[in-house]
Amino acid sequence: MQQENHFEWKHKDLLDVDTLSVEDVMHVFKTADQFHEINNRPVKKIPTLKGRSVILFFYEPSTRTKTSFDMAGKRLSADTFSLAKSGSALQKGESLKDTALTLQAMNPDIIVLRHSSSGAAQFLADRLPCSVINGGDGWHAHPTQALLDSFTLRQHWGDDFYGKEVLILGDIAHSRVVRSNVQLLSKLGVRVRLCAPRTLLPRGVESWNAKVFTRLEYAVEGVDAVMCLRLQLERQQAGLLPSLEEYSRTHCLTARHLELAQPNALVMHPGPMNRGLEIASDLADAPNSVILEQVSSGVAIRMALLFLFATRNDRHVDQGDA
Ligand code: NCD
């Protein structure tokens, strides 16, 4: 695989996007471009990470993130090992720290962690010498989702995000996806709008780098893309919404709303979708929907991240030798 010369990947872990510079992000994208191309070939496996091991430690359910990390590792010939809460000793009451130390003793190169507690990835990263990639922690962060979302937008807009406007719509209060996306999109020069019923806006949202709306018809006006978020029914404290019918009547994205956006506005959703609740079903399948492109981007981005983290020490040695 062709490597960009002179770029040093300095990070041990990926906990959120705040620690990444724009140059880091562009380097991830350029690395992912090469893998994206490989993913479209008939034979998709390359030996780049042969002999490296990646543990997928998913304490919360996941379809896309876990499968795409697994596929990403396997396409690079790394050995991937999956561990879920059920079936692991965590279910017997073992602490996260003890489970992690046990996994570390097996000497993996990378642990990908999804956990219901905000800060869980940081907790492991502070204690383990291997790289830790945050696959989503509580409401806090989901950096790989934000990277794959911007990578998908880049396929349509090119490298120049400056001045584009993206609306993120839905359950802002309980979403880790929105928190990482606001940071990354604004870092890339995108103007971000947020829209939700007042009860689904988190405290302090005024200080985020985004313009906040409660009325969808105002929020959607003139935007270049709309990213719908899933209503996080499992994280809802009772009483935040009058009813699901009321929510979908006021905040479900429909074709009628999208007519107010730019003519070719893209429709996004990180999945899993509640069709008819946060996004009209026909819109999810419409030609300007890039929801399945997001899934494909996810494999390429996660290949790039596994590659950069698993080989970061090799490059130091190489550069030292040169
Ligand atoms: C998201 C997550 O888990 O935070 N899903 C994903 O990773 N594709 C969004 C969600 O669960 O709503």
Side-chain angles (χ1 to χ4, degrees):
M1 127 118 212
Q2 279 223 322
Q3 286 184 33
E4 290 257 311
N5 288 330
H6 315 304
F7 193 93
E8 193 186 342
W9 187 254
K10 295 183 293 296
H11 307 278
K12 170 187 165 283
D13 308 294
L14 180 63
L15 305 177
D16 201 355
V17 290
D18 57 344
T19 51
L20 300 180
S21 64
V22 173
E23 291 70 33
D24 289 331
V25 174
M26 286 301 164
H27 185 65
V28 173
F29 288 170
K30 284 180 187 143
T31 309
D33 282 339
Q34 302 179 48
F35 293 130
H36 204 49
E37 188 262 312
I38 290 168
N39 285 337
N40 290 317
R41 291 184 195 164
V43 177
K44 300 168 181 68
K45 203 173 171 93
I46 53 172
T48 313
L49 293 188
K50 202 163 185 309
R52 314 292 173 126
S53 41
V54 179
I55 295 180
L56 307 174
F57 187 9
F58 277 65
Y59 197 87
E60 266 195 341
S62 166
T63 302
R64 290 155 197 78
T65 308
K66 187 169 172 201
T67 314
S68 59
F69 262 116
D70 198 12
M71 191 169 275
K74 290 191 163 85
R75 287 196 176 161
L76 294 170
S77 302
D79 296 312
T80 63
F81 304 91
S82 291
L83 187 72
K85 183 180 178 189
S86 66
S88 76
L90 280 168
Q91 229 180 2
K92 298 181 187 167
E94 185 173 59
S95 69
L96 178 61
K97 183 178 172 194
D98 281 331
T99 308
L101 289 174
T102 306
L103 297 177
Q104 179 61 49
M106 299 175 198
N107 208 9
D109 296 282
I110 299 174
I111 295 180
V112 181
L113 177 72
R114 168 165 290 193
H115 201 281
S116 51
S117 301
S118 299
Q122 174 90 59
F123 179 86
L124 288 203
D126 290 346
R127 285 161 181 80
L128 304 182
C130 71
S131 291
V132 175
I133 298 181
N134 185 2
D137 62 329
W139 303 350
H140 171 238
H142 197 348
T144 67
Q145 180 70 42
L147 285 164
L148 76 87
D149 288 336
S150 288
F151 183 74
T152 306
L153 291 171
R154 178 173 166 270
Q155 307 290 323
H156 294 266
W157 298 345
D159 275 341
D160 191 10
F161 289 82
Y162 197 79
K164 295 281 189 196
E165 282 202 86
V166 174
L167 166 63
I168 308 182
L169 165 67
D171 188 352
I172 309 288
H174 302 98
S175 173
R176 51 193 172 211
V177 173
V178 72
R179 286 171 171 78
S180 293
N181 258 307
V182 169
Q183 290 192 46
L184 184 60
L185 288 168
S186 44
K187 203 183 277 265
L188 294 173
V190 172
R191 282 183 288 170
V192 183
R193 298 184 188 182
L194 304 174
C195 180
R198 206 165 289 285
T199 48
L200 291 183
L201 289 170
R203 216 176 298 154
V205 71
E206 310 74 33
S207 65
W208 294 14
N209 216 341
K211 202 166 166 193
V212 182
F213 296 78
T214 52
R215 293 275 297 270
L216 176 52
E217 53 278 35
Y218 298 148
V220 76
E221 216 176 280
V223 294
D224 300 284
V226 183
M227 184 185 297
C228 300
L229 298 174
R230 182 174 68 88
L231 196 58
Q232 305 257 319
L233 299 168
E234 77 278 25
R235 297 189 212 275
Q236 291 272 350
Q237 290 132 14
L240 290 181
L241 294 170
S243 71
L244 295 184
E245 290 73 32
E246 173 72 3
Y247 179 80
S248 81
R249 202 176 56 71
T250 55
H251 286 83
C252 179
L253 187 73
T254 64
R256 190 174 55 81
H257 295 117
L258 209 62
E259 280 170 16
L260 304 170
Q262 292 294 337
N264 295 321
L266 303 172
V267 174
M268 310 177 80
H269 194 303
M273 279 185 279
N274 296 305
R275 285 176 184 255
L277 185 53
E278 66 251 358
I279 183 168
S281 193
D282 56 340
L283 216 52
D285 305 320
N288 50 343
S289 161
V290 294
I291 295 170
L292 293 177
E293 287 177 37
Q294 288 173 268
V295 178
S296 312
S297 298
V299 180
I301 282 290
R302 287 167 179 137
M303 286 171 85
L305 292 170
L306 292 182
F307 169 73
L308 291 168
F309 282 101
T311 60
R312 71 196 166 94
N313 292 326
D314 309 359
R315 278 190 295 277
H316 287 146
V317 172
D318 287 344
Q319 279 161 11
D321 286 343

